[in-house]
Amino acid sequence: MTDRLDQPRELGIRLRPHYDPEAFGRLAERIARFIGTARFLVYMTVFVTVWVLWNVLTPLKFDPYPYIFLTLMLSLQASYAAPLILLAQNRQDDRDRVQYEQDRLAADRNQAEIEYLTREIAGLRIALGEVATRDYLRAELQRLGEQLSSSERR
């Protein structure tokens, strides 16, 4: 039977769990940001210290000295932390790439505007070079006045 576009699809059994990649990426960034803080190091230090002291000082030792279970827990934490950190870095790289492209386009626009303004200023300088200045007009009038006075004397 073909799917009809005027009716919603029937929900079937999904074999893969559905997740929102954007929400998962934001969560990964938050976790990676937390893992990179001094607070996380303090929490981990306190956790490991309490774990070791518990298994040394109390009669209820659930993980005796080579602390195999503690090693397993830390390995598990590291195996999840590394991909989360990489995911967060990849997302940051994507944001940096978009920002770089926007900055490059803005720089290109600014360069075009600067070149336009430079041409306009050059055009104004050329136009001003063709305009008679006050000093030039005074000098010409003075020269013409001297010519007139010298021709009247003759």
Side-chain angles (χ1 to χ4, degrees):
M1 179 175 152
T2 61
D3 290 336
R4 292 186 53 174
L5 297 177
D6 62 340
Q7 295 177 354
R9 285 190 217 169
E10 293 182 26
L11 294 177
I13 299 173
R14 289 188 177 185
L15 299 177
R16 292 183 305 160
H18 176 71
Y19 73 98
D20 180 13
E22 189 63 29
F24 187 76
R26 285 192 304 268
L27 175 65
E29 287 176 340
R30 286 185 16 222
I31 291 171
R33 206 171 292 122
F34 174 69
I35 288 174
T37 62
R39 178 183 294 164
F40 175 76
L41 292 174
V42 169
Y43 288 164
M44 284 302 292
T45 302
V46 168
F47 176 77
V48 170
T49 304
V50 168
W51 186 290
V52 170
L53 288 176
W54 180 276
N55 285 290
V56 168
L57 301 176
T58 65
L60 302 171
K61 296 176 179 19
F62 60 91
D63 189 21
Y65 174 69
Y67 309 117
I68 295 172
F69 189 55
L70 175 63
T71 305
L72 177 67
M73 296 292 289
L74 293 175
S75 297
L76 183 65
Q77 183 268 331
S79 70
Y80 275 97
L84 288 174
I85 291 169
L86 288 174
L87 176 63
Q89 287 176 343
N90 289 340
R91 288 172 53 88
Q92 185 61 45
D93 289 344
D94 292 343
R95 280 193 298 274
D96 290 345
R97 194 174 304 109
V98 168
Q99 185 64 44
Y100 170 76
E101 183 64 23
Q102 290 174 348
D103 290 347
R104 190 186 63 75
L105 291 174
D108 289 346
R109 281 192 305 271
N110 289 340
Q111 183 66 30
E113 289 176 11
I114 288 171
E115 289 173 359
Y116 170 76
L117 290 174
T118 302
R119 285 191 297 275
E120 288 294 314
I121 290 172
L124 288 173
R125 284 184 177 167
I126 291 170
L128 281 176
E130 296 171 358
V131 173
T133 62
R134 184 176 11 179
D135 293 335
Y136 174 76
L137 289 176
R138 279 187 189 154
E140 287 296 309
L141 287 174
Q142 189 175 16
R143 187 179 60 79
L144 287 173
E146 289 172 0
Q147 282 179 353
L148 283 176
S149 60
S150 68
S151 64
E152 285 177 6
R153 287 186 211 155
R154 288 189 212 171

